[in-house]
Amino acid sequence: DAKTTQPPSMDCAEGRAANLPCNHSTISGNEYVYWYRQIHSQGPQYIIHGLKNNETNEMASLIITEDRKSSTLILPHATLRDTAVYYCIVRVEGNDMRFGAGTRLTVKP
Amino acid sequence: DSGVTQTPKHLITATGQRVTLRCSPRSGDLSVYWYQQSLDQGLQFLIQYYNGEERAKGNILERFSAQQFPDLHSELNLSSLELGDSALYFCASSYPGAGETQYFGPGTRLLVL
């Protein structure tokens, strides 16, 4: 599975959109982009995933560039409860998840 | 709540001992994955089972073993425990298709003294 690069940390003001970038320049055509987050030591929580098209659900939006070499997770109105480590993972369907260090997002009042 | 359950939540034991961690997947999910999260290693994939059969192995030590039973629940057995085995152990489950999204349980925190 392709390797991803994320900034180690980011801050965001409460109520603002949080935009978390991820680079995956070696992604293959059959690899999906997944985003998970982990709050404290809880189990990783699934947020969203996509293959080629942009995706939106009740939690977030996922923007994938046309060449698929990078993506952005958007939390439209960040709250204090969105403070967590966010993981971007690229993976072939059915394979295990290879977690990196992720981005530690801190939402500030 | 992901629908994946893990027991026990906490486990404290001594070096050299053996423990069993249990995971019940979401209803209908066929795959179970085990992960270890320690402070210095992050989240590491250990092993995957699909419908009772081992499908993939990651960084799983020989002292560790797992199995998936006919009712699809899974157990991770850790033996000859060492201090370094202290970690959070998560299981995840998935169903084939639509990206096979993995849903994680709340984890078991293991402390080896």
Side-chain angles (χ1 to χ4, degrees):
Chain A
D1 292 340
K3 185 176 175 179
T4 61
T5 304
Q6 299 178 253
S9 64
M10 292 182 65
D11 290 341
C12 177
E14 190 177 18
R16 298 284 196 171
N19 296 279
L20 291 90
C22 180
N23 286 320
H24 31 80
S25 59
T26 59
I27 191 170
S28 301
N30 63 343
E31 287 181 311
Y32 288 77
V33 179
Y34 286 82
W35 284 85
Y36 283 77
R37 71 182 183 184
Q38 188 174 26
I39 300 171
H40 296 299
S41 297
Q42 297 176 22
Q45 180 188 21
Y46 166 75
I47 301 173
I48 199 167
H49 77 281
L51 184 61
K52 295 180 183 178
N53 300 321
N54 298 338
E55 302 287 344
T56 295
N57 63 20
E58 65 280 2
M59 287 184 69
S61 294
L62 173 60
I63 309 298
I64 303 174
T65 58
E66 195 168 337
D67 63 6
R68 302 186 70 237
K69 293 185 177 181
S70 66
S71 60
T72 302
L73 177 74
I74 301 172
L75 308 178
H77 305 287
T79 70
L80 299 179
R81 281 186 279 187
D82 292 322
T83 292
V85 177
Y86 287 76
Y87 297 99
C88 168
I89 300 157
V90 292
R91 157 190 181 246
V92 173
E93 185 179 69
N95 284 7
D96 57 277
M97 312 291 280
R98 302 291 167 126
F99 288 82
T103 295
R104 183 172 297 277
L105 175 69
T106 302
V107 181
K108 299 185 173 181
Chain B
D1 184 359
S2 67
V4 179
T5 60
Q6 290 186 248
T7 56
K9 287 185 180 178
H10 302 277
L11 200 48
I12 302 175
T13 188
T15 54
Q17 295 298 305
R18 171 190 168 97
V19 297
T20 297
L21 313 183
R22 182 186 170 104
C23 169
S24 293
R26 296 186 320 155
S27 177
D29 284 0
L30 300 178
S31 280
V32 170
Y33 308 76
W34 285 97
Y35 293 83
Q36 178 193 56
Q37 186 174 33
S38 54
L39 279 176
D40 57 346
Q41 293 288 330
L43 267 157
Q44 300 274 315
F45 166 68
L46 295 178
I47 196 163
Q48 177 197 359
Y49 278 81
Y50 175 82
N51 204 20
E53 299 290 325
E54 181 184 304
R55 174 174 268 190
K57 262 187 175 180
N59 302 319
I60 189 165
L61 300 172
E62 285 192 12
R63 300 183 285 108
F64 296 0
S65 65
Q67 53 184 330
Q68 187 178 27
F69 294 86
D71 66 352
L72 301 177
H73 91 271
S74 178
E75 292 181 356
L76 180 67
N77 300 296
L78 315 177
S79 61
S80 302
L81 285 167
E82 302 175 359
L83 297 178
D85 297 328
S86 296
L88 279 164
Y89 291 84
F90 294 105
C91 81
S93 72
S94 70
Y95 186 82
E100 285 201 47
T101 299
Q102 292 184 25
Y103 294 90
F104 284 76
T108 293
R109 183 179 292 276
L110 173 67
L111 180 60
V112 182
L113 299 175

